[in-house]
Amino acid sequence: VKGAALCESKRRDGAWDDIDESEDAATSETPSSWPCNIVYTVLDAMIAFPSENKDVTFEALCNALVRRTVFVTGAVDMEGCPEADRGEVAFIGRSNVGKSSLVNMLTNRKSLAFTSKTPGKTQQFNYFAVNDKPELARQIRYGDDVPGEKDRDSFYIVDLPGFGFAKVTQQLRQQWSDFMDEYLQERETLQAVFHLIDARHGPTDEDIKIMQKVGTILGAKQQAKEHCAKYIIILTKADKNVKNAKSQSNPGKVSNKVMEKLIVTMKENRVGYAPIVLTSSETRLGRDEVWKYLRFAAER
């Protein structure tokens, strides 16, 4: 990981810009054929050999793939979304499902997404820029004209409002729902939608509504052969299902009853094709699998 990160750093600094990419070099790999971040090749190896993964390795991986993060804006409608100039991934789930904690774990940050003991704290579409130009935060905060460009592996993480416990009016809840419909239909840079479900309880009525929405909108786009975001089910809080959960020996699990209920519900709502990833923000379970899909946004 450290070696790949060092190579990528030199690449961003232009160390290999003068490599010959003519026909004489066609038989060998050149920078233009490399992934958007060389560290992703290490991720491929980590997924192939999961038994070799250690927490320190994951931390190094996250630090190499997420070098800068900054809150960009909170959108309440499509006009409030930032320019669609890079890939993005969206995280959605009912309140108190562990959404913010998972985002913080994936990016190896303690407070990228706001984590609160009060469910329903996220009440807008919160955009976080990953690997944008240095000092973007100063530009956003003070309006300074900061030079530079975003890195080639830059993307947006979008933290969507939680449903279920959020103490908001029915009118505002309906606005969120309408905005989400429009967002799923029209945001062409959306590469993946992560739907978070509590591994202890399985899908709730709110989760079923989300599945129905995704199944209807993304299903229609698939039939029309339009660009369609990948839909992934994320089971959170898997560590709560085991005693003395540990990152290596006993990271977490989901009961057969919950898994069977989930699979049936997915099929009933036309999302039976979606991959399922078991995670825990406490034991770091599932980091490599989720990053496999985050990569879609970075490589767009």
Side-chain angles (χ1 to χ4, degrees):
V1 173
K2 290 180 179 179
L6 178 60
C7 289
E8 183 62 31
S9 176
K10 290 183 177 296
R11 179 189 181 192
R12 288 194 298 272
D13 292 338
W16 296 309
D17 288 350
D18 58 349
I19 289 180
D20 182 14
E21 298 203 17
S22 63
E23 292 184 2
D24 294 336
T27 58
S28 62
E29 290 192 359
T30 54
S32 62
S33 67
W34 297 347
C36 63
N37 188 321
I38 301 171
V39 179
Y40 280 116
T41 59
V42 182
L43 175 64
D44 291 338
M46 292 174 67
I47 293 174
F49 303 97
S51 62
E52 299 300 317
N53 299 337
K54 302 294 189 294
D55 279 349
V56 64
T57 308
F58 274 118
E59 290 179 8
L61 178 82
C62 290
N63 290 336
L65 293 177
V66 182
R67 299 173 298 282
R68 298 180 299 277
T69 58
V70 60
F71 173 72
V72 176
T73 188
V76 295
D77 53 34
M78 290 298 290
E79 292 183 357
C81 295
E83 180 183 356
D85 61 352
R86 70 199 74 181
E88 60 191 65
V89 295
F91 288 81
I92 185 173
R94 72 189 301 267
S95 299
N96 206 33
V97 76
K99 180 158 46 69
S100 295
S101 297
L102 180 70
V103 172
N104 290 334
M105 180 267 286
L106 291 170
T107 57
N108 200 33
R109 300 294 192 274
K110 292 184 178 180
S111 58
L112 172 61
F114 186 86
T115 304
S116 172
K117 294 185 181 297
T118 303
K121 196 67 178 180
T122 302
Q123 298 195 3
Q124 55 190 356
F125 282 37
N126 289 328
Y127 270 83
F128 299 88
V130 178
N131 303 332
D132 209 304
K133 63 183 180 180
E135 298 194 55
L136 175 64
R138 179 162 64 88
Q139 177 175 307
I140 293 173
R141 185 171 184 178
Y142 300 109
D144 297 348
D145 186 12
V146 177
E149 298 180 356
K150 62 183 177 64
D151 292 343
R152 61 173 57 85
D153 60 342
S154 179
F155 63 98
Y156 286 126
I157 290 177
V158 192
D159 186 10
L160 274 57
F163 296 91
F165 287 132
K167 295 181 179 180
V168 298
T169 64
Q170 182 60 37
Q171 181 181 5
L172 181 56
R173 199 184 299 271
Q174 185 60 48
Q175 288 178 1
W176 288 351
S177 180
D178 294 342
F179 182 14
M180 190 178 304
D181 288 351
E182 192 174 3
Y183 177 73
L184 293 175
Q185 290 171 341
E186 300 182 7
R187 193 68 172 177
E188 293 298 323
T189 50
L190 179 62
Q191 302 298 305
V193 177
F194 296 101
H195 179 184
L196 278 58
I197 297 175
D198 195 319
R200 297 170 297 178
H201 312 302
T204 64
D205 290 343
E206 295 294 335
D207 291 314
I208 293 174
K209 291 178 181 178
I210 294 173
M211 288 183 187
Q212 291 172 344
K213 186 183 296 292
V214 170
T216 300
I217 296 176
L218 297 189
K221 297 190 73 172
Q222 284 182 329
Q223 290 183 350
K225 296 184 179 180
E226 299 176 0
H227 166 73
C228 183
K230 186 79 173 178
Y231 175 63
I232 305 101
I233 298 288
I234 303 291
L235 292 176
T236 64
K237 303 185 179 182
D239 60 290
K240 305 299 183 183
N241 287 327
V242 299
K243 292 183 178 180
N244 302 317
K246 297 180 179 179
S247 60
Q248 292 296 321
S249 59
N250 196 20
K253 68 177 184 180
V254 59
S255 69
N256 291 334
K257 181 179 179 180
V258 168
M259 183 59 75
E260 290 172 0
K261 176 184 176 183
L262 174 61
I263 292 175
V264 169
T265 304
M266 291 170 63
K267 290 180 179 179
E268 290 176 346
N269 293 282
R270 300 193 296 173
V271 292
Y273 58 85
I276 302 171
V277 182
L278 188 63
T279 70
S280 166
S281 60
E282 296 296 326
T283 65
R284 309 298 193 262
L285 174 65
R287 280 183 298 190
D288 54 343
E289 282 295 313
V290 179
W291 260 107
K292 181 171 69 176
Y293 299 108
L294 286 174
R295 179 178 182 173
F296 293 159
E299 290 184 331
R300 183 188 182 277

